[in-house]
Amino acid sequence: MLLVLVADVAAGLLVVIVLAVRGLGRMDAGSGQTVTSVPRDWAAVLGFGALALAVGVTAVVLLRIGHRVIGAVQLTLCVLLAIHTLWSWP
């Protein structure tokens, strides 16, 4: 059970690192350049969507093996991440 939760934390840290690096890349791209069309950035949607999927699978596994409280918390977190994913849709 602890290994599953550690895997969720690792997935969350990976999403945070990827989004931070993407944000740093955007800060340098705007210096002196004119943009004719704004490209869509799908990194946040894909990152949070993958994280919501990983947390949802973890919730189902925890519920199946009998850890109802932790599984319910993970399921709630999955729903919140899914809402945040839909909110960050470009």
Side-chain angles (χ1 to χ4, degrees), residues 30-42:
S31 59
Q33 297 177 354
T34 58
V35 178
T36 56
S37 67
V38 177
R40 293 187 178 181
D41 188 16
W42 291 94

Side-chain angles (χ1 to χ4, degrees), residues 45-74:
V45 174
L46 294 175
F48 286 120
L51 187 59
L53 181 65
V55 171
V57 168
T58 303
V60 170
V61 168
L62 288 171
L63 288 172
R64 297 272 304 185
I65 62 174
H67 296 286
R68 297 195 187 275
V69 175
I70 299 172
V73 169
Q74 287 287 103

Side-chain angles (χ1 to χ4, degrees), residues 8-34:
D8 277 347
V9 170
L13 287 175
L14 182 63
V15 168
V16 167
I17 289 170
V18 167
L19 291 177
V21 169
R22 297 274 303 180
L24 289 175
R26 265 189 254 132
M27 287 173 42
D28 294 336
S31 59
Q33 297 177 354
T34 58

